[in-house]
């Protein structure tokens, strides 16, 4: 049982936290701008590499480099919107989806050009896990990732519920026509969507780097589970997306837990779990768990 | 010697462009006619490549194989398997809205990739399948074989074009475009939209698999690393949009032009200083990504925009 918690549940929650941070942006962009942003994973990669540069040049620890990564990635996201998505905004959303595929490729090849393709790490060396109650083992990095994500979820909740910008964002996600007639500044809301989506993606990217390593396919590999998470939480429901991320992350890790010493699902297929959850949702409950929009 | 070198460079260019033209025509059936956003092209391509490779190659020690069937049997098997897989997927996913279909098809391509990497008994895992024959290998040798192969590829391109052209002109194609442009209206006059879409997806999947089979015969070796899945999917999309989605000639023209640009960037990045040379392929990716953005913003309907077939035959009847 304790093995289940140490080696399956806690890594699952950690992975889920990372998915959650990416899924927030996907859900908000889908809800407010009405398109599936296929370059979101590569925004995470961008954040991870900006933090890596800060670690290299300023000698900061990875966690202290997060603000730099957030600002840098948010700027990149706002720029991408201006350059590539805004010119297509009045067309059917499928054009923007195709453009975002291209942006994913552009971001990744730019990263490969600037930083090369070798895997990198923020900190070299093995971290000894902390041991509680004699048998509960948690790695420090897992505790940091989970704690930060919880803090972000609480902040996001208060931002969306009480701040003017947050409330406007929810209004646009619920009914864009009504929001525009009511006189909300849509462009400003779009800008904030990219700042928050990009910033949180950057934090997620840095967490991936902390948890494992940093490589140029880091974000793209997370894209499908993050879409699944956004759908699970309901499109346009950022906190739902975080919950969705957590569920997908935990599901991916614990599904490989051997029951009576038999592995039902081989670990090499665990990334298919997210896809199966996503397909089931699309077919049977497209509004997700928290009644999101069906676009 | 210089001239013949150039000639065979051109032959290899035409071979790859032809393989992409088949993919592009297949995507045109799915997206151009039917409005189905398939982002998992690489999955069907891989099914085709592996089916053909396993059926035609000589005995292998680690995986099933050694059937040594003829190329045509291999291609038929590739088409049947891809058609069945495509049918299963289409039954489930084809009525999803475009963005969701894109997610679903990416997921399917990913699962196909996982199966290929993990099921070593079938595909020899990351080591891949080797000893894949080329058509008419026994008859033609050396450089003649290259020319025979490029002719073979373009025969398949013409066949695909002909079928696609007939489909486009037929009542079937007309119904499909009606469904694409206004699903509710098409349904109201009794068109079974789900069944039409499923057929479209299956036909596209079959031709994507044929393109995969062709490249397996061309490379004579196929492994998960032989091709970059995202590159195939992405290039096919760039080709179709640049050439003109909905137009079969546009699909072929797009494949030729974009493959020419892609090949030329290889020459261009060859001039880069040597410390950049190892990164030249990323530079090419970056350029092709920017090219797509340019086309999307300026020439959205492509080089040869879609044109509905002439209606005169209809009026006479």
């Amino acid at each position: 049982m304790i093995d289940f918690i140490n080696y399956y549940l806690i890594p699952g929650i950690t992975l889920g936290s990372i998915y959650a941070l990416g899924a927030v942006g996907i859900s908000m962009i889908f809800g407010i701008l009405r398109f599936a942003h296929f370059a979101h994973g590569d925004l995470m990669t961008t954040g991870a590499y900006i933090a890596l540069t800060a670690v290299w040049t300023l000698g900061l620890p990875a966690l202290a480099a997060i603000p730099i990564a957030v600002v840098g990635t948010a700027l990149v996201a706002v720029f991408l919107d201006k350059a590539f998505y805004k010119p297509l905004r009045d067309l059917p959303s499928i054009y923007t989806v195709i453009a975002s595929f291209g942006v994913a490729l552009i971001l990744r090849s730019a990263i490969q050009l600037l930083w090369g393709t070798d895997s990198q790490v923020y900190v070299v060396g093995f971290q000894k896990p902390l041991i509680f109650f004699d048998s509960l083992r948690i790695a420090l990095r897992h505790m940091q990732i989970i704690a930060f994500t919880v803090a972000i979820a609480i902040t996001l909740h208060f931002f969306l519920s009480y701040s003017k910008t947050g409330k406007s964002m929810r209004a646009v996600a619920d009914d864009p026509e009504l929001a525009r007639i009511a006189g909300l500044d849509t462009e400003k809301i779009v800008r904030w969507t990219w700042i928050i989506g990009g910033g949180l993606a950057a934090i997620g990217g840095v967490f991936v780097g902390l948890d494992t390593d940093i490589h140029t396919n880091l974000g793209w590999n997370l894209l499908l589970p993050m879409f699944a998470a956004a759908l699970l939480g309901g499109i346009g429901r950022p906190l739902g997306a975080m919950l969705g991320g957590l569920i997908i992350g935990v599901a991916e890790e614990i599904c490989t837990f051997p029951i009576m010493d038999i592995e039902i699902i081989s670990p090499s297929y665990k990334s298919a779990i997210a896809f199966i959850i996503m397909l089931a949702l699309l077919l049977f409950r497209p509004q997700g768990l928290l009644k999101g929009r069906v676009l | 010697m210089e001239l013949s070198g150039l000639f065979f460079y051109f032959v290899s260019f035409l071979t790859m462009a032809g393989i992409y033209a088949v993919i592009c025509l297949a995507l045109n059936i799915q997206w151009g006619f039917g409005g189905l956003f398939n982002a998992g092209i690489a999955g069907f391509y891989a099914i085709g490549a592996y089916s053909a490779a396993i059926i035609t190659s000589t005995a292998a020690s680690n995986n099933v194989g050694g059937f040594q069937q003829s190329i045509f049997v291999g291609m038929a098997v590739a088409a049947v398997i891809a058609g069945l897989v495509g049918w299963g997927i289409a039954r489930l996913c084809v009525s999803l809205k475009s963005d969701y279909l894109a997610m679903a098809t990416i997921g399917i391509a990913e699962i196909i990739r996982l199966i290929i990497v993990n099921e070593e008994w079938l595909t020899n895992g990351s080591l891949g399948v080797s000893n894949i024959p080329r058509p008419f290998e026994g008859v033609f040798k050396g450089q003649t074989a290259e020319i025979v192969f490029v002719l073979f590829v373009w025969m398949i391109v013409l066949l695909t074009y002909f079928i696609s052209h007939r489909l486009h002109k037929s009542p079937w194609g007309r119904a499909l475009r009606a469904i694409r442009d206004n699903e509710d209206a098409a349904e109201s006059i009794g068109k079974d939209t789900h069944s039409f879409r499923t057929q479209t997806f299956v036909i596209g999947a079959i031709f994507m698999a044929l393109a995969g089979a062709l490249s397996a015969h061309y490379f004579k070796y196929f492994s998960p690393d032989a091709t970059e899945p995202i590159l195939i999917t992405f290039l096919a999309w760039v080709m179709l949009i640049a050439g003109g989605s909905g137009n079969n000639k546009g699909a072929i023209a797009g494949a030729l032009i974009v493959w020419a640009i892609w090949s030329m960037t290889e020459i261009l990045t060859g001039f880069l200083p040597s410390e950049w040379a190892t990164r030249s392929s990323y530079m090419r990716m970056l350029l092709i990504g920017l090219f797509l953005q340019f086309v999307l913003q300026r020439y959205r309907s492509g080089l040869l925009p879609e044109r509905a077939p002439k209606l005169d035959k209809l009026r006479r009847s």
Side-chain angles (χ1 to χ4, degrees):
Chain A
M1 188 59 204
I2 200 73
D3 274 358
F4 175 76
I5 295 174
N6 284 343
Y7 301 114
Y8 293 87
L9 191 62
I10 290 170
I13 296 173
T14 311
L15 186 66
S17 304
I18 292 166
Y19 289 160
L21 291 169
V24 170
I26 288 177
S27 184
M28 277 169 42
I29 293 164
F30 214 153
I32 291 170
L33 287 144
R34 326 255 132 204
F35 76 96
H37 187 222
F38 281 85
H40 211 74
D42 296 273
L43 275 181
M44 294 177 85
T45 322
T46 311
Y49 274 91
I50 293 175
L52 185 68
T53 305
V55 169
W56 278 349
T57 53
L58 305 174
L60 294 171
L63 285 178
I66 284 180
I68 301 171
V70 167
V71 173
T73 312
L75 286 176
V76 170
V78 171
F79 165 77
L80 290 175
D81 181 55
K82 279 242 157 30
F84 301 125
Y85 303 141
K86 199 175 173 210
L88 306 173
R89 205 161 285 160
D90 296 328
L91 298 165
S93 73
I94 198 70
Y95 286 104
T96 326
V97 175
I98 299 172
S100 77
F101 263 102
V103 168
L105 207 69
I106 291 173
L107 278 179
R108 183 163 5 145
S109 29
I111 289 165
Q112 286 167 331
L113 269 175
L114 291 171
W115 282 282
T117 45
D118 299 333
S119 289
Q120 311 282 358
V121 285
Y122 291 125
V123 213
V124 186
F126 178 75
Q127 285 175 318
K128 251 172 71 180
L130 308 173
I131 299 172
F132 301 92
F133 313 117
D134 291 336
S135 54
L136 182 67
R137 302 156 66 92
I138 308 181
L140 181 64
R141 57 178 202 279
H142 288 171
M143 277 174 58
Q144 290 166 336
I145 291 171
I146 295 167
F148 265 93
T149 309
V150 170
I152 289 165
I154 294 169
T155 317
L156 192 69
H157 170 70
F158 282 102
F159 170 78
L160 290 170
S161 312
Y162 299 108
S163 79
K164 191 154 175 266
T165 317
K167 281 194 270 190
S168 321
M169 286 170 98
R170 284 192 299 142
V172 177
D174 277 346
D175 193 333
E177 288 298 310
L178 193 63
R180 199 167 43 241
I181 294 167
L184 291 178
D185 180 357
T186 350
E187 278 307 312
K188 187 184 151 203
I189 291 160
V190 166
R191 202 159 51 238
W192 274 104
T193 308
W194 285 108
I195 291 172
I196 295 169
L200 293 183
I203 299 176
V206 176
F207 285 173
V208 178
L210 269 181
D211 190 28
T212 53
D213 60 345
I214 307 151
H215 56 96
T216 51
N217 262 350
L218 165 162
W220 178 263
N221 294 346
L222 302 178
L223 193 63
L224 266 184
M226 293 190 311
F227 272 130
L231 282 170
L232 189 58
I235 294 301
R237 297 267 175 278
L239 291 171
M242 294 195 86
L243 179 67
L246 200 62
I247 295 173
I248 302 273
V250 171
E252 274 189 11
E253 289 292 336
I254 66 173
C255 72
T256 58
F257 184 70
I259 298 169
M260 310 214 260
D261 289 331
I262 303 164
E263 278 184 356
I264 294 170
I265 297 167
S266 145
S268 42
Y269 281 108
K270 72 178 178 188
S271 53
I273 298 298
F275 172 73
I276 290 164
I277 295 176
M278 182 174 83
L279 198 61
L281 277 170
L282 285 174
L283 296 172
F284 302 115
R285 199 175 161 83
Q287 71 272 38
L289 292 179
L290 300 188
K291 281 224 163 186
R293 290 179 60 85
V294 183
L295 297 174
Chain B
M1 186 57 215
E2 178 74 348
L3 206 64
S4 78
L6 210 62
F7 176 74
F8 281 102
Y9 182 79
F10 186 64
V11 167
S12 74
F13 163 81
L14 273 185
T15 310
M16 279 315 289
I19 291 171
Y20 270 105
V22 176
I23 300 178
C24 206
L25 282 164
L27 184 63
N28 190 33
I29 295 173
Q30 290 184 340
W31 166 250
F33 300 174
L36 299 174
F37 194 112
N38 183 354
I41 298 169
F44 297 102
Y45 173 89
I47 289 179
Y50 271 99
S51 312
I54 292 166
I55 294 292
T56 59
S57 60
T58 50
S61 47
N62 301 324
N63 61 318
V64 289
F67 299 110
Q68 297 191 45
Q69 294 297 316
S70 85
I71 305 272
F72 298 99
V73 175
M75 290 180 90
V77 171
V80 168
I81 293 176
L84 285 175
V85 173
W87 181 77
I89 293 165
R91 285 286 308 216
L92 282 176
C93 302
V94 92
S95 44
L96 296 176
K97 277 260 170 59
S98 50
D99 299 37
Y100 295 130
L101 186 60
M103 292 180 204
T105 44
I106 285 192
I108 287 155
E110 178 63 16
I111 288 185
I112 293 172
R113 195 186 65 81
L114 282 178
I115 293 172
I116 288 170
V117 174
N118 290 317
E119 300 302 319
E120 294 185 354
W121 62 272
L122 183 66
T123 61
N124 203 15
S126 54
L127 294 174
V129 183
S130 47
N131 295 326
I132 308 168
R134 274 200 196 168
F136 315 113
E137 216 171 23
V139 190
F140 302 100
K141 301 276 177 218
Q143 297 189 317
T144 331
E146 301 281 321
I147 298 169
V148 169
F149 190 71
V150 77
L151 292 175
F152 182 73
V153 168
W154 278 89
M155 288 281 288
I156 304 281
V157 175
L158 285 181
L159 178 77
T160 315
Y161 172 79
F162 180 73
I163 292 171
S164 183
H165 180 67
R166 297 299 302 173
L167 288 175
H168 184 67
K169 276 174 66 169
S170 68
W172 184 85
R174 212 158 48 227
L176 209 56
R177 288 194 296 283
I179 293 167
R180 179 195 66 188
D181 292 338
N182 191 335
E183 189 180 344
D184 294 339
E187 211 153 65
S188 74
I189 52 167
K191 300 292 176 197
D192 183 351
T193 52
H194 191 265
S195 144
F196 269 99
R197 285 204 171 124
T198 308
Q199 292 164 20
T200 320
F201 196 85
V202 170
I203 295 169
I206 288 173
F207 284 106
M208 285 168 190
L210 284 186
L214 282 177
S215 48
H217 294 305
Y218 184 51
F219 300 148
K220 297 173 74 66
Y221 161 79
F222 210 82
S223 76
D225 302 322
T227 52
E228 167 99 48
I230 300 155
L231 182 67
I232 294 171
T233 305
F234 188 73
L235 274 181
W237 272 100
V238 177
M239 284 165 175
L240 185 61
I241 293 167
S245 38
N247 189 322
N248 288 318
K249 290 197 186 77
I252 296 179
L256 282 168
I257 292 168
V258 172
W259 190 252
I261 294 174
W262 181 247
S263 309
M264 262 189 299
T265 54
E266 188 178 19
I267 300 170
L268 276 179
T269 50
F271 291 115
L272 286 171
S274 55
E275 66 262 36
W276 284 76
T278 49
R279 295 178 179 182
S280 65
S281 62
Y282 315 126
M283 187 67 109
R284 299 169 70 194
M285 288 274 217
L286 188 71
L287 290 175
I288 209 85
L290 288 171
F291 177 74
L292 174 75
Q293 307 298 339
F294 172 75
V295 171
L296 275 177
Q297 292 188 14
R298 295 292 160 81
Y299 301 102
R300 212 166 300 125
S301 48
L303 185 70
L304 300 170
E306 182 183 10
R307 268 188 318 205
K310 288 198 186 85
L311 288 172
D312 51 1
K313 265 189 201 148
L314 224 82
R315 265 187 227 120
R316 239 179 283 145
S317 59

